Amino acid sequence: MSDPVQNGLDAMRRATCEALERAPGAGSGDPVVTVAAPGRVNLIGEHTDYNDGYVLPAAIDRWVVMSGRRWGGSEVWVRALDRQEEARFSLDGLSPDRAGELPDWARYVAGTLWSLQLEGFQLEGMALAFTGSVPQGMGLSSSAALEVATGQLALTLHQAELAPLRLAQAAQRAENQFVGVACGIMDQFTATLGEAGHALLLDCRSLEYRALPIPETLTFFVVHPPQGRTLAGSGYNRRRQECEAAAQLLAQAKPGVKALRDVTSDDLRFLEARVGESFRGHPVATLHRRARHVVEENGRVLALAQALEQGHLETVGRLVSESHQSLRDLFQVSTPTIDRWVEALIHLPGCLGARLVGGGFGGSILAVVRREAAGAFQDQAANLTEGGEAAHLFPCRPVDGVRVLGMVSKSET
């Protein structure tokens, strides 16, 4: 039987290889390598990763596929097939100061190569082309998938190796320091270390993790209502600053606090007593809300992991919905559109719970659905509209992290 997922990967591989035939220096005889890195959906644990907390993501069957070949020198040529755009830059003197010279999308590629250079790799010029099935702007980490694909491809082309965790950290550094988005490690970690059929319970401080099997009785749907979102232009970085300020203020009462991971519900009383004040330009009332979300969300992550292991599906759904309520009321990153859709989805057949996923201010919704009702849920969700437009809706399944799809000689491309 034909595998539609594999067929999709094969089609994207062919498209990127064909794009390389139109690259400058296409006559090079160097072999072409293709890699695929997945997007991710986070079951629970939103805005906890950069607070040294816990998260529970899974890599999903949507990918960024990139092909490339070495061509010597120091120049990199890269084509984004979905945008029909190209960019060129030199590896010599590559630094975050030069990020502004590049299109937004090319900064993820250049930043990752810059980060690999910081790891000590001597990279040569390359011709690269990529496409993908990870929808952009939906909170599914298309940027992390692009970074991890770039990193793995560059390493493979140079016959070099880097431990998966180090690759994830290099990709995160690219997004933090080159692109300028203060993300945590979760997205790049999942794109690198995802396991088929499993979610990853990740401690973002120690980076210890364990893979938890997803019960076969569950199906995950991603629902993206019609709307727009841009992470770098949103309040994501502001929320991170608020969390850092909350931790700094709490450290006055509890010196061992280095991040909100170290805070308990009892510790929050210190902030409650100062809600009429400000701290480093932030109302303490706001800092209290942000800290409370992180503290309670960490607890929900651990509780949901236990519920998965015990097969308590109703508990899984309840915790997912509670996470959304906290993101809406305490962390204040939801939108009226997202809230309306969450409320509508949880009343559809088989839906156990739903919540906003991603950095917020738009994005997508994760719906946790009983497998036997998945068809009815999908049919009815497809009929929901916003302003006369239907949502982008699809089921997803957990898959492995970044992989090399193959290597072919010039004559085979």
Side-chain angles (χ1 to χ4, degrees):
M1 179 179 292
S2 176
D3 182 348
V5 172
Q6 187 60 49
N7 291 344
L9 284 171
D10 290 342
M12 288 187 282
R13 179 182 179 183
R14 287 193 300 271
T16 54
C17 288
E18 289 170 2
L20 290 180
E21 292 300 304
R22 299 187 293 274
S28 168
D30 286 338
V32 172
V33 174
T34 305
V35 303
R40 68 101 185 96
V41 68
N42 191 21
L43 306 190
I44 198 166
E46 216 64 80
H47 293 276
T48 51
D49 58 344
Y50 56 79
N51 287 294
D52 284 359
Y54 299 97
V55 291
L56 191 61
I60 60 171
D61 51 347
R62 297 292 188 277
W63 287 272
V64 168
V65 174
M66 177 179 280
S67 295
R69 63 157 54 96
R70 291 169 60 177
W71 62 0
S74 61
E75 188 173 61
V76 174
W77 173 90
V78 57
R79 179 167 179 79
L81 273 65
D82 300 327
R83 294 174 175 267
Q84 297 186 336
E85 295 181 12
E86 298 176 3
R88 298 177 76 141
F89 58 88
S90 175
L91 292 168
D92 292 338
L94 188 60
S95 72
D97 293 339
R98 291 175 50 192
E101 302 170 9
L102 297 169
D104 290 349
W105 60 267
R107 295 172 191 174
Y108 297 96
V109 177
T112 303
L113 299 179
W114 162 79
S115 191
L116 288 180
Q117 289 179 317
L118 291 186
E119 292 287 328
F121 293 102
Q122 301 297 315
L123 304 181
E124 294 184 6
M126 291 167 275
L128 309 171
F130 70 91
T131 186
S133 58
V134 185
Q136 298 182 20
M138 288 180 58
L140 302 179
S141 298
S142 57
S143 60
L146 176 56
E147 291 156 356
V148 170
T150 301
Q152 184 61 64
L153 179 58
L155 291 168
T156 305
L157 287 173
H158 289 81
Q159 299 179 323
E161 294 184 0
L162 188 63
L165 176 56
R166 290 278 298 279
L167 174 58
Q169 292 171 319
Q172 181 199 13
R173 179 169 55 209
E175 188 147 353
N176 290 170
Q177 299 182 27
F178 201 98
V179 180
V181 176
C183 65
I185 188 65
M186 173 180 62
D187 298 350
Q188 294 83 3
F189 189 98
T190 310
T192 307
L193 288 149
E195 294 190 23
H198 293 73
L200 304 180
L201 176 59
L202 171 64
D203 181 334
C204 294
R205 170 168 286 170
S206 69
L207 299 183
E208 295 176 350
Y209 76 101
R210 58 191 175 99
L212 302 178
I214 301 296
E216 294 184 359
T217 49
L218 283 183
T219 297
F220 300 125
F221 282 87
V222 173
V223 182
H224 183 62
Q227 61 186 313
R229 170 181 169 271
T230 304
L231 182 62
S234 72
Y236 180 93
N237 287 349
R238 176 71 175 179
R239 291 299 182 275
R240 181 162 186 163
Q241 293 164 4
E242 291 165 346
C243 289
E244 292 170 351
Q248 291 165 2
L249 181 54
L250 282 160
Q252 295 181 3
K254 186 178 180 181
V257 171
K258 293 181 172 58
L260 291 179
R261 155 71 173 275
D262 303 311
V263 177
T264 68
S265 295
D266 288 342
D267 296 331
L268 296 177
R269 294 173 184 167
F270 176 74
L271 297 182
E272 289 181 42
R274 301 180 61 172
V275 293
E277 304 175 22
S278 293
F279 178 74
R280 298 191 175 177
H282 304 283
V284 174
T286 298
L287 301 186
H288 175 257
R289 285 194 292 270
R290 308 300 186 248
R292 181 182 163 193
H293 164 76
V294 173
V295 170
E296 294 177 353
E297 186 80 345
N298 277 323
R300 282 188 287 267
V301 173
L302 298 178
L304 195 147
Q306 184 178 48
L308 281 178
E309 292 180 307
Q310 296 174 348
H312 294 167
L313 305 189
E314 296 288 345
T315 301
V316 170
R318 174 180 59 79
L319 291 166
V320 166
S321 292
E322 287 178 0
S323 176
H324 179 75
Q325 294 162 12
S326 183
L327 290 165
R328 178 192 66 203
D329 300 334
L330 297 179
F331 222 69
Q332 297 175 297
V333 293
S334 189
T335 68
T337 297
I338 291 288
D339 295 338
R340 286 194 297 272
W341 280 76
V342 166
E343 183 65 22
L345 291 169
I346 61 176
H347 290 99
L348 296 186
C351 187
L352 296 166
R355 75 171 190 88
L356 166 72
V357 292
F361 310 98
S364 300
I365 298 164
L366 168 70
V368 181
V369 179
R370 293 185 183 276
R371 183 174 294 276
E372 67 266 22
F377 174 89
Q378 186 165 6
D379 289 344
Q380 293 193 31
N383 290 325
L384 298 176
T385 61
E386 178 79 20
E389 294 184 54
H392 186 183
L393 163 75
F394 57 87
C396 55
R397 61 184 179 89
V399 298
D400 289 326
V402 64
R403 68 195 74 174
V404 178
L405 295 183
M407 178 183 297
V408 295
S409 67
K410 174 72 168 67
S411 61
E412 296 174 296
T413 60

